[in-house]
Amino acid sequence: MAITIGLVTAEIYRIFIQRGITIKMPNGVPDVVSKSFSALLPGFTTFVLWALVLKGLEAAGVAGGLNGLLGAIVGTPLKLIAGTLPGMILCVIVNSFFWFCGVNGGQVLNAFVDPVWLQFTTENQEAVAAGQTLQHIITLPFKDLFVFIGGGGATIGLAICLFLFSKSRANKTLGKLAIIPSIFNINTAILFTFPTVLNPIMLIPFIATPTINALITYVSMAVGLVPYTTGVILPWTMPPIIGGFLATGASWRGALLQVVLILVSVAIYYPFFKIADKRNLEKEKATDGGK
């Protein structure tokens, strides 16, 4: 909502200034003073507009104003479908798309879906304590430890590609810096330095990798190849293999599944990484005079 309000407000200001709808001061008035007066009309219009929107939402019974409206539009459907495989895939795609646009997808979605997944995690935990059958495949550890291995976009495969296969000097350096944080699901350097954010080459693997991770993990647990997560709540920074082992009740199959997901991530990212790495290498050669 902050981004939306900022864009609309800036557009209102632009329209007023470019069309000359401002308070004009005499020629002798200093330029600094004149500009401050020119902002009064668009500023007042913006203030009135958002005040009317807020009052309109209050009159319509929308609690929480604009954020409440966003919650109703985005959050309600997500809550209804968060426990299903299609719902998880939708959340993964939306999360990845937000990250691709430079917006923290987790911060956008977590307020709506994490409480649902946390409830499922708690119910699995209670079932284990009571000796009952686990009911939920999709839980918070399912998302944190299996779907988004390496962080948003499941970029641990890209980090491995950077570390092992880079030809570009810049990418080699980035690979050395990013590989250890990626093991702890921290991928800020890759997102904004490689980058994956707003990089058309990386859009397909950035969305496809966590989506395929979700599918593989769900099917593996549904058919009994891997145990359900037992309700153990682990930090999202838990390294793979250890995280999979602990989350599935100390099962080696949970750890093995994470190894498989990492290999899948490498396989998906590799061809797209090679294209980006080749372009970087060509730029570096051009900068170095062809050497």
Side-chain angles (χ1 to χ4, degrees):
M1 291 315 305
I3 293 172
T4 302
I5 291 171
L7 290 172
V8 172
T9 300
E11 184 64 13
I12 292 172
Y13 185 85
R14 182 192 67 79
I15 291 171
F16 271 71
I17 296 300
Q18 288 189 349
R19 296 187 179 182
I21 310 173
T22 59
I23 298 175
K24 296 178 174 60
M25 302 300 292
N27 293 333
V29 176
D31 190 51
V32 175
V33 177
S34 179
K35 286 184 177 179
S36 65
F37 274 90
S38 68
L40 288 178
L41 282 180
F44 179 75
T45 302
T46 301
F47 176 81
V48 171
L49 170 67
W50 293 120
L52 291 174
V53 170
L54 179 60
K55 291 300 180 181
L57 292 174
E58 290 178 356
V62 179
L66 289 169
N67 286 327
L69 179 63
L70 177 64
I73 295 173
V74 178
T76 302
L78 287 177
K79 286 180 181 178
L80 294 175
I81 65 175
T84 66
L85 178 59
M88 166 56 76
I89 292 174
L90 176 61
C91 290
V92 169
I93 292 173
V94 172
N95 181 303
S96 299
F97 183 75
F98 271 119
W99 267 120
F100 177 79
C101 295
V103 178
N104 188 319
Q107 294 297 324
V108 174
L109 295 179
N110 286 353
F112 305 121
V113 293
D114 271 17
V116 179
W117 292 331
L118 181 59
Q119 179 62 34
F120 293 161
T121 305
T122 303
E123 290 176 7
N124 276 7
Q125 189 180 76
E126 292 171 350
V128 169
Q132 299 173 350
T133 303
L134 301 180
Q135 299 297 319
H136 302 290
I137 295 178
I138 298 176
T139 60
L140 205 56
F142 177 99
K143 182 259 293 186
D144 287 339
L145 303 179
F146 292 95
V147 175
F148 291 114
I149 300 180
T155 55
I156 192 166
L158 179 56
I160 293 172
C161 288
L162 285 164
F163 184 70
L164 295 179
F165 307 120
S166 292
K167 301 296 184 183
S168 160
R169 287 196 311 271
N171 287 346
K172 286 180 181 179
T173 302
L174 177 60
K176 294 175 183 178
L177 294 173
I179 188 65
I180 293 179
S182 290
I183 293 172
F184 294 92
N185 300 324
I186 300 170
N187 61 348
T188 307
I190 291 176
L191 291 175
F192 297 102
T193 305
F194 180 66
T196 55
V197 170
L198 297 178
N199 184 348
I201 297 174
M202 306 309 297
L203 176 60
I204 293 175
F206 196 74
I207 293 177
T209 304
T211 302
I212 293 174
N213 281 357
L215 287 169
I216 293 174
T217 304
Y218 189 94
V219 172
S220 298
M221 293 182 176
V223 302
L225 293 177
V226 178
Y228 290 13
T229 57
T230 59
V232 176
I233 299 176
L234 301 168
W236 60 269
T237 52
M238 181 65 65
I241 301 178
I242 298 174
F245 178 78
L246 296 176
T248 55
S251 171
W252 62 268
R253 289 179 291 173
L256 180 60
L257 175 59
Q258 286 190 313
V259 173
V260 171
L261 296 176
I262 291 171
L263 294 176
V264 169
S265 178
V266 173
I268 295 173
Y269 271 108
Y270 182 77
F272 299 92
F273 154 78
K274 289 298 292 182
I275 294 172
D277 188 58
K278 182 179 179 181
R279 290 186 178 182
N280 275 3
L281 183 61
E282 290 173 352
K283 289 179 181 178
E284 289 173 356
K285 287 181 177 181
T287 302
D288 295 340
K291 296 181 180 179

